Amino acid sequence: MKRILATSLLLATLSAGTATAQISLVNPVPQKVTASGKGIVAAPAAWRVICDKKRSGSIATQALVKATTVKQQPKAAYSVTIGVKGDKAVSKVAKLIPAKAEGYYLSITDKGAVVAGVDEEGLYYGVQTLLASVAEGKLECCTITDWPDVPFRGTVEGFYGTPWSHKARLSQIEFYGRNKMNVYIYGPKDDPYHRNHWRVPYPDEEARRIQELNEHAKQCGVNFYWAIHPGVDIKWNDADRDALMAKLEKMYQLGIRSFAVFFDDIWGEGAKADKQAALLNYVDDNFIKSHKDVKPLIMCPTEYNRSWANDAGGYLRTLGTKMNKDIQIMWTGNSVVHCIDKESMEWINQRIDRKAYIWWNFPVSDFVRDHILLGPAYGNGLDIANDMSGFVSNPMEHAEASKISLYGIADYTWNMKAYDYKADWEKGLKAVLPDNYEALRTFALYNKDLGPNGHGFRREEGDELKPVADAALSGDLKGVQSLLGKCYELRMAVDVLLADNSNPELRRELRPWLLQGKNVADYGVAVCAMAANRKYPNAFPSFEQAYKQARALQVQMYELENSDVRHALQPGIKVATKVLLPTLNKLFTQTVEAYNKENGTSFVCEAEYNPYKIESTVPQLALLPVSVRGNDVTVAPSLEVIKWAKGASFTIESDRNVTFAGMEFNLGVPGVAKNFKLELYDNGVWKEVSLLHYRDNDPVIHTGNELGGMQASKLRITNVSGADKEVYFKNFKFVKQ
């Protein structure tokens, strides 16, 4: 009730004192809503569309035709009049249309509706508002005056790992159109024709898929941006400049009308600001401006966040002064993964001499693939709409699950001051899985936080559980009973979601975490039974029975984490890692310790089972997860440039001796093996193992033959070059016998 009241008061403020009506089903929240007429009435079973002839084929008209909530019938009593400013059909309300790009005016009465846009996009968004408002078979009589705060809003498919499927991209684009996001930037890191083979045209089949995505985006009011990433191996010569222009022209011939050029996550020759500026000015002058129907060019710089910016080196200021002012510059904030505020916007805008185009790295999880992020989008300033030229989210590789956060991001970028992330999260969950919203909400409560990570970016998770957790750990039996109830709730939610067929793609994405959630819930039941048994020793199950089950589930959680249930490249499966699981582990340990003391027993009280751990003086590597598939022990990659200081080391320790059969790792730089030393620790002695590349141009580092059959409990890699090194950490694996 407090949340509803606060939202109503906020809308009243935005309406300058006029009585307003909240159209609760509409996303994003409109800028101004004014109640009128008869309030809420039944929606018509059918309506007829009235518009100028030139508007009959517009995407707004097609959206009305395709609507499933209300049928279109030429003689229906209820009329929907639509048009763009200047159209005869909406001439009577022309003065009421907001004079802002993509703005619209909408009037809904019990007799008919009028949708008038300042442009074609605004008309389309007004129709989307009308369609959303009748989704539950009712109409709210009101007038709406609406427009977006941020000119460009949407997503960048810019994560590392498994790219979205074609089907997922089509679904995403439809989702953007419904929620008034107007940008989808196609830039998957693992598309070879985007990055590693950027000079090469797409094969016919892949070109057709991109063409289909672009056409689908047009029908949904979305600008399909195609991004190219030449910086990894570009030569600053006419041949590569012409190759870039030829590739862009090829994409233009496919129908693409929005373009981006990326220079992120590189170093060396491709990272020179003056060269980048000169190249992009050439592209802007000779390609973008020569085609009158394309959007402004976007570039992602090499120094794309404040923590990496060498202010004294002048990279950003060079872009600001030398690059054409109509080229948009992307920015992730004070670090790679960071929320955006007023001060950080002022800092970057002063240096690039234009408004930054925000690339927000949330809910992307390519650096924490053992987690799935189902929490709300929050933390960005509500006073920075006028400081940015665009705002795009970098989502997860799990496209359906990403929609929960993206729902809120659509609202945030449209109407910042009215943004309520908690309300949007609830609505986003319902939008993704309406039939089983409660189960998804329960599960999502334990899948918000990222866990410890190299970027230090965390999210709230389990705050509502803390009083219960504190009570249980204090020995309060009611607290234990409440904690037990939470575990049962999680267990039931998991079972419901595992059987839900309404969104099979979401179920596929969630499945590893759902199975682990079941383990965590069962573990919680067993641990709570142990704690309760100390108060009631004759209860069932006995302490020993519950203890054995809890220990078995610890092993099962580890084994599931390293099973084929995982998605490709997924290093583990973490659920409830911020409050619930740590609470259960603490309760397990303190209960076992107390039981041992009381009964003279020696049950193992360690709560977590993991035979491998990492220690590193390279901060970006210290928190990477270790996973096992068969005999392969793998460390998850780090997806940015690694600043490996001289003398710094990376160590993996096992809880027992391992017999090594082989090992390889890729630091992304040919010939770099000579700068590093590998050592194995056996019986208190470090023994060196030789490192080599099989080919001069191969960045993969291999070990000498002496590794085979060696036994050790630790391995350590140290930078022995005498200088700091910039490398990647693309993959790391050793094989045990």
Side-chain angles (χ1 to χ4, degrees):
M1 180 60 69
K2 289 181 179 178
R3 183 182 302 159
I4 294 171
L5 179 60
T7 304
S8 299
L9 288 172
L10 182 54
L11 283 170
T13 301
L14 293 172
S15 301
T18 305
T20 64
Q22 168 90 29
I23 297 188
S24 61
L25 300 177
V26 174
N27 190 58
V29 173
Q31 297 283 353
K32 183 177 179 180
V33 182
T34 305
S36 62
K38 297 183 178 181
I40 297 176
V41 298
W47 54 32
R48 57 191 169 94
V49 178
I50 301 172
C51 65
D52 289 11
K53 186 176 181 180
K54 61 184 176 182
R55 212 59 62 196
S56 60
S58 71
I59 60 173
T61 307
Q62 293 305 308
L64 285 170
V65 170
K66 295 175 184 177
T68 58
T69 50
V70 181
K71 295 180 180 179
Q72 181 178 263
Q73 293 179 356
K75 295 183 179 181
Y78 196 92
S79 63
V80 177
T81 303
I82 67 171
V84 171
K85 192 169 188 176
D87 288 1
K88 184 178 180 180
V90 295
S91 59
K92 292 182 179 180
V93 299
K95 293 182 179 180
L96 301 175
I97 303 171
K100 299 189 179 187
E102 300 183 333
Y104 67 90
Y105 167 81
L106 170 62
S107 172
I108 303 174
T109 73
D110 59 334
K111 305 296 184 184
V114 177
V115 189
V118 72
D119 47 31
E120 186 69 40
E121 292 81 7
L123 175 59
Y124 178 76
Y125 293 143
V127 166
Q128 291 301 320
T129 295
L130 176 63
L131 292 174
S133 70
V134 299
E136 293 184 352
K138 295 179 181 179
L139 275 176
E140 191 164 354
C141 297
C142 63
T143 59
I144 297 175
T145 309
D146 203 12
W147 63 88
D149 281 346
V150 180
F152 293 101
R153 315 163 302 281
T155 66
V156 50
E157 187 184 342
F159 51 80
Y160 290 88
T162 306
W164 284 341
S165 68
H166 187 64
K167 182 179 179 181
R169 289 174 179 141
L170 292 170
S171 176
Q172 284 283 313
I173 289 169
E174 290 177 7
F175 179 83
Y176 304 157
R178 285 197 305 274
N179 293 284
K180 304 184 180 73
M181 291 192 282
N182 62 357
V183 170
Y184 165 56
I185 302 177
Y186 175 92
K189 292 291 192 290
D190 290 346
D191 175 353
Y193 305 100
H194 158 76
R195 184 178 169 104
N196 291 340
H197 303 301
W198 61 270
R199 300 174 184 84
V200 182
Y202 280 96
D204 290 344
E205 184 177 349
E206 295 190 40
R208 280 193 296 271
R209 283 199 291 267
I210 288 179
Q211 200 168 22
E212 182 182 352
L213 290 173
N214 184 55
E215 290 301 315
H216 190 60
K218 289 179 183 177
Q219 295 303 310
C220 296
V222 176
N223 295 297
F224 179 94
Y225 272 83
W226 180 78
I228 189 168
H229 196 308
V232 66
D233 64 353
I234 192 169
K235 309 295 187 296
W236 301 114
N237 55 34
D238 290 350
D240 267 5
R241 182 197 67 190
D242 294 345
L244 177 61
M245 292 287 284
K247 185 70 170 280
L248 295 174
E249 185 62 40
K250 185 76 172 178
M251 303 308 294
Y252 183 87
Q253 296 303 321
L254 289 178
I256 308 300
R257 295 296 183 265
S258 306
F259 299 88
V261 182
F262 291 173
F263 291 100
D264 58 315
D265 296 344
I266 59 171
W267 70 84
E269 190 66 21
K272 294 181 177 179
D274 57 340
K275 299 291 187 181
Q276 292 174 2
L279 175 66
L280 294 185
N281 285 345
Y282 184 88
V283 170
D284 192 41
D285 293 338
N286 297 282
F287 177 78
I288 301 296
K289 292 175 181 174
S290 68
H291 296 91
K292 303 301 183 182
D293 56 348
V294 300
K295 295 293 182 182
L297 182 66
I298 298 174
M299 74 91 70
C300 183
T302 306
E303 294 182 10
Y304 56 79
N305 69 86
R306 191 169 177 175
S307 67
W308 290 5
N310 179 3
D311 214 20
Y315 172 90
L316 292 171
R317 295 184 190 276
T318 297
L319 294 182
T321 56
K322 292 188 175 182
M323 199 161 66
N324 292 353
K325 292 297 186 287
D326 52 352
I327 299 174
Q328 307 294 329
I329 300 177
M330 305 191 87
W331 187 249
T332 67
N334 285 340
S335 61
V336 177
V337 187
H338 207 280
C339 290
I340 314 297
D341 60 16
K342 190 76 172 180
E343 187 275 335
S344 64
M345 289 303 307
E346 291 172 348
W347 188 92
I348 181 58
N349 289 351
Q350 289 171 4
R351 283 155 178 77
I352 61 176
D353 197 24
R354 70 203 73 195
K355 295 179 181 180
Y357 195 117
I358 297 302
W359 171 322
W360 193 39
N361 275 316
F362 181 83
V364 67
S365 60
D366 55 10
F367 60 102
V368 285
R369 286 194 181 108
D370 49 359
H371 288 72
I372 194 161
L373 305 181
L374 307 179
Y378 67 93
N380 297 303
L382 302 179
D383 58 349
I384 57 177
N386 294 326
D387 299 314
M388 61 181 70
S389 60
F391 185 108
V392 290
S393 158
N394 189 14
M396 297 181 284
E397 67 177 77
H398 312 295
E400 281 299 309
S402 293
K403 289 178 181 177
I404 296 169
S405 299
L406 294 178
Y407 187 94
I409 290 167
D411 193 10
Y412 170 76
T413 53
W414 185 274
N415 189 351
M416 280 191 190
K417 290 183 179 179
Y419 184 56
D420 180 348
Y421 76 86
K422 293 181 180 179
D424 271 277
W425 184 65
E426 302 283 355
K427 291 170 67 177
L429 291 163
K430 291 177 182 176
V432 171
L433 201 69
D435 293 342
N436 278 314
Y437 149 74
E438 294 86 356
L440 182 59
R441 185 185 189 279
T442 296
F443 183 68
L445 286 171
Y446 303 103
N447 291 277
K448 294 179 178 180
D449 186 43
L450 293 77
N453 62 84
H455 295 296
F457 189 76
R458 304 296 298 270
R459 301 275 83 178
E460 62 86 17
E461 177 185 292
D463 289 3
E464 70 289 336
L465 192 64
K466 287 179 180 177
V468 173
D470 292 342
L473 292 172
S474 72
D476 177 33
L477 185 58
K478 288 185 178 180
V480 173
Q481 291 172 333
S482 296
L483 185 61
L484 176 65
K486 294 295 183 183
C487 293
Y488 275 126
E489 286 177 6
L490 176 58
R491 184 63 156 79
M492 288 188 287
V494 166
D495 282 336
V496 169
L497 295 174
L498 283 169
D500 183 278
N501 291 315
S502 63
N503 190 336
E505 185 60 17
L506 178 67
R507 183 175 66 174
R508 183 195 67 80
E509 292 173 357
L510 296 182
R511 189 168 184 271
W513 290 275
L514 289 172
L515 295 175
Q516 193 70 296
K518 181 180 288 192
N519 282 336
V520 170
D522 287 345
Y523 175 60
V525 171
V527 171
C528 289
M530 290 166 53
N533 188 275
R534 289 192 55 241
K535 298 283 187 181
Y536 301 100
N538 296 322
F540 178 84
S542 69
F543 178 89
E544 291 192 18
Q545 288 172 318
Y547 170 81
K548 287 180 180 179
Q549 184 187 19
R551 288 289 291 169
L553 284 161
Q554 290 169 1
V555 175
Q556 288 178 50
M557 282 189 275
Y558 172 79
E559 290 178 343
L560 184 70
E561 275 209 89
N562 295 283
S563 72
D564 291 338
V565 163
R566 294 173 295 176
H567 298 301
L569 306 177
Q570 186 181 339
I573 312 170
K574 303 293 188 187
V575 173
T577 56
K578 196 167 189 182
V579 176
L580 178 59
L581 188 57
T583 297
L584 295 175
N585 286 336
K586 288 178 184 176
L587 185 59
F588 174 88
T589 297
Q590 72 180 36
T591 302
V592 174
E593 287 176 343
Y595 187 88
N596 284 339
K597 184 177 181 181
E598 293 164 359
N599 296 276
T601 51
S602 55
F603 290 115
V604 174
C605 59
E606 288 184 357
E608 294 183 84
Y609 178 78
N610 191 336
Y612 299 101
K613 65 179 181 180
I614 287 177
E615 293 181 357
S616 181
T617 51
V618 183
Q620 293 157 287
L621 304 181
L623 297 174
L624 297 178
V626 184
S627 60
V628 180
R629 287 185 188 266
N631 290 325
D632 292 352
V633 180
T634 306
V635 178
S638 181
L639 305 173
E640 60 195 48
V641 177
I642 302 298
K643 301 184 185 301
W644 199 313
K646 61 181 179 181
S649 62
F650 169 78
T651 303
I652 301 178
E653 181 177 357
S654 173
D655 64 356
R656 68 202 69 184
N657 263 8
V658 172
T659 302
F660 287 81
M663 178 179 170
E664 65 177 36
F665 55 101
N666 184 349
L667 300 185
V669 183
V672 77
K674 63 181 180 295
N675 297 317
F676 292 86
K677 178 170 70 172
L678 169 65
E679 300 169 284
L680 268 61
Y681 187 78
D682 181 29
N683 292 322
V685 179
W686 287 102
K687 300 177 181 178
E688 185 173 354
V689 176
S690 59
L691 297 174
L692 68 151
H693 297 278
Y694 287 164
R695 297 185 305 277
D696 291 342
N697 62 348
D698 186 359
V700 177
I701 299 174
H702 301 271
T703 57
N705 293 332
E706 69 270 24
L707 179 72
M710 288 184 66
Q711 290 189 334
S713 59
K714 299 181 187 179
L715 65 85
R716 181 172 67 191
I717 300 171
T718 307
N719 175 3
V720 293
S721 67
D724 297 347
K725 292 294 178 183
E726 288 188 337
V727 296
Y728 294 105
F729 195 82
K730 293 192 170 183
N731 58 58
F732 183 98
K733 179 180 77 173
F734 69 81
V735 182
K736 57 189 179 70
Q737 292 183 4

